[in-house]
Amino acid sequence: MHEWHDLAREFQEDREQARAIATTHGPGLEYASAGNAERIRASGDALDTALQQRAEYCRAMAEKFAKALGKYAATEETQASEIKQTGGTL
C-alpha cells in the first residue's frame, strides 16, 4: 500500500515537469520555431494526462490494498475469537 502511495507521489511530482514542457515557447518567431513549440506543448499535455492517469491508478490500488488489509485483519480477529470460544489457542 505504501509503495503504491509513493509511486503515485512520484507521478504527481513528474507532472510538474510535464507542465513545464506543456508551456514551452519556440526559440524564435519564425514558423518552424512556433510549429516545433506547438508539437512540444502537445507532447507535454499528453504526458501530463498520462501521468495523472497513472497517479490515479496508483492511488486506487493503494486504496484496494488498504481495504484488503482491513478485511484481512477483521477476518483474523473473528477467527481468533471463534477459536478461543471453543477453548483453543492460537
Side-chain angles (χ1 to χ4, degrees):
M1 175 182 70
H2 297 296
E3 290 176 15
W4 283 111
H5 278 298
D6 291 344
L7 191 55
R9 191 172 18 265
E10 287 179 33
F11 282 130
Q12 197 63 36
E13 291 169 0
D14 291 343
R15 286 187 69 207
E16 293 176 23
Q17 294 175 348
R19 284 189 287 264
I21 293 170
T23 59
T24 195
H25 298 286
L29 298 176
E30 72 277 355
Y31 173 77
S33 290
N36 189 33
E38 184 179 319
R39 294 284 187 164
I40 292 171
R41 283 192 299 272
S43 178
D45 286 337
L47 178 59
D48 184 44
T49 299
L51 291 170
Q52 175 62 28
Q53 291 170 345
R54 282 160 180 77
E56 289 172 3
Y57 175 83
C58 290
R59 285 188 206 100
M61 289 302 292
E63 183 65 28
K64 288 179 182 181
F65 272 74
K67 286 180 182 178
L69 180 60
K71 288 179 183 179
Y72 176 79
T75 300
E76 186 175 349
E77 186 177 317
T78 300
Q79 296 299 321
S81 175
E82 289 177 7
I83 288 172
K84 288 179 183 175
Q85 287 177 356
T86 62
T89 61
L90 294 177

